[in-house]
Amino acid sequence: MPEKERDETLDDWVDKLEEEEKAEEEKATVGDMVGDVGVKAVPALKGMLAEMTILPVKASDEERDTGYSNPSMLPLVGVVLGMAMMIILWVVAKIEDVFNAPLWPIFALFAVASSMVIFKFAFLGDLARFGDMLFPQASKDSGTPLGGIAVMIVCVAASVAMYITLDGNVGSEVAAVAVGLTEVCILNAMVCTRSFASSGFNMKNVAMSTLISIVGALIITLIWMVLVGDVDVRHVIVAILTVVFSIIGGFAVGFIAKKGIGYVPDDAAGAAVELTRPVLVFLVVFFFWALNRGPPRRALARSQTPSLLPFPHTPVRWGIDNQIYIEEQTSLAQSILY
């Protein structure tokens, strides 16, 4: 056989072998993925916390390597941070009840700033660079990455505004679980964007990341339901829907990168965290709205605690209270008109 034909045959064989190996990886069952998580979860979590966050977590080189080589386990970090932030913000909600004080601006700044600081502003930097790649003309003449800066400002402002608006209208208790679920799901979106690479779609990473995100979101939701004393299957549905939409968000960022840049850079994966955050916060509260028979509202004089501040603050109630409120307002309008 001529040498050229032998080399081509060898290359075909190598390509086929790589395709078969990739196919075998994608055939991994749920049991295989659960087994991987069970074995690698703790070392991967320690490695990622030590490498990606400012938290004082000590990890060996082996644990750091485990975290680096298992990006699909990134939502584990979101589960830990989301759970901690949700509990802290639930305490804020209790402080609001005790002092009858609206603290949602502080709530919003804490929710956004703490996540950025913990991750050393890495995702914010990714967002700025990704925005500059999408809008290179904005910085062509000035030399300043104006496109990236504009995208960064818009996303951060949207996140802060979303938390302020939602917490001011639905209350800190609901907004607290929104923060917890969002922290898990934005990292799932990051994994999905990274899997949407030019070298090929990695279904195994998406499946494992989604599995971890669903379990983590359910844990956070169950803890929240116990804390607020409201155990309801509808809250579980909200958690699952949020994870599903984080997948869509991650894919959307990958699609935008391919269309706008031609490939999916590493910065796109980090940018997906900040790009999907305000959207997912909104969706969490929208799902609560949709599953609780109407939009939330401020209860009228529901709080029995006298206000210690010169302005009133009343908690938000869901479900049947909404219908009662509508009937009260209808009756009031009729009495004024007739």
Side-chain angles (χ1 to χ4, degrees):
M1 179 183 295
E3 184 176 350
K4 183 178 180 181
E5 292 183 9
R6 186 170 64 248
D7 290 343
E8 290 177 353
T9 304
L10 181 61
D11 290 341
D12 292 340
W13 180 80
V14 171
D15 291 341
K16 184 177 180 181
L17 182 62
E18 290 178 351
E19 290 177 0
E20 290 177 352
E21 289 177 350
K22 184 178 178 180
E24 287 297 324
E25 289 181 358
E26 293 182 349
K27 288 180 181 177
T29 63
V30 175
D32 295 333
M33 289 188 287
V34 171
D36 286 343
V37 173
V39 173
K40 301 175 182 177
V42 174
L45 177 60
K46 288 181 64 178
M48 289 185 285
L49 286 173
E51 192 70 24
M52 298 177 62
T53 71
I54 63 171
L55 299 178
V57 177
K58 294 182 179 180
S60 64
D61 292 339
E62 184 179 353
E63 290 170 334
R64 291 173 184 266
D65 290 341
T66 302
Y68 182 79
S69 60
N70 291 276
S72 58
M73 295 188 184
L74 191 57
L76 288 172
V77 178
V79 173
V80 173
L81 298 181
M83 194 180 306
M85 292 174 67
M86 184 265 293
I87 293 174
I88 291 172
L89 293 173
W90 175 79
V91 173
V92 171
K94 297 295 103 180
I95 294 174
E96 282 188 324
D97 289 345
V98 171
F99 293 97
N100 206 17
L103 301 177
W104 60 85
I106 298 174
F107 178 107
L109 291 174
F110 172 81
V112 176
S114 60
S115 179
M116 292 180 180
V117 171
I118 288 172
F119 285 109
K120 300 183 284 191
F121 296 97
F123 300 143
L124 201 61
D126 291 338
L127 176 63
R129 288 187 291 272
F130 180 61
D132 191 48
M133 292 180 190
L134 287 175
F135 306 104
Q137 296 299 323
S139 57
K140 184 176 181 180
D141 298 328
S142 64
T144 304
L146 297 177
I149 293 173
V151 171
M152 181 178 64
I153 291 174
V154 169
C155 285
V156 174
S159 295
V160 174
M162 190 62 65
Y163 277 125
I164 290 176
T165 302
L166 295 179
D167 186 51
N169 285 277
V170 304
S172 296
E173 286 188 348
V174 176
V177 73
V179 172
L181 293 176
T182 300
E183 288 302 312
V184 177
C185 292
I186 56 177
L187 294 180
N188 186 48
M190 179 180 180
V191 175
C192 292
T193 300
R194 182 175 291 173
S195 299
F196 200 88
S198 56
S199 59
F201 181 69
N202 193 326
M203 186 61 190
K204 181 182 177 182
N205 279 351
V206 173
M208 182 175 289
S209 175
T210 301
L211 178 64
I212 294 171
S213 299
I214 290 175
V215 174
L218 291 178
I219 291 172
I220 289 174
T221 303
L222 289 172
I223 293 174
W224 176 79
M225 288 192 294
V226 171
L227 289 175
V228 301
D230 183 16
V231 179
D232 195 321
V233 70
R234 289 175 293 184
H235 304 330
V236 175
I237 296 173
V238 170
I240 295 173
L241 286 174
T242 308
V243 175
V244 171
F245 275 84
S246 71
I247 301 171
I248 298 173
F251 289 165
V253 175
F255 179 79
I256 291 171
K258 280 202 169 184
K259 286 293 183 181
I261 306 174
Y263 67 101
V264 182
D266 291 338
D267 291 329
V273 171
E274 301 301 337
L275 287 170
T276 57
R277 186 195 303 275
V279 178
L280 291 175
V281 172
F282 170 78
L283 287 175
V284 170
V285 180
F286 173 78
F287 293 146
F288 270 103
W289 172 85
L291 294 172
N292 282 277
R293 294 177 294 171
R297 66 168 182 84
R298 287 196 172 283
L300 299 176
R302 297 286 182 179
S303 178
Q304 300 301 316
T305 306
S307 177
L308 301 182
L309 298 174
F311 40 83
H313 174 64
T314 51
V316 171
R317 301 293 293 273
W318 296 90
I320 192 65
D321 270 357
N322 188 67
Q323 183 62 33
I324 294 174
Y325 175 72
I326 293 173
E327 292 174 357
E328 289 173 350
Q329 296 303 302
T330 302
S331 177
L332 178 60
Q334 290 175 344
S335 65
I336 293 173
L337 292 173
Y338 304 107

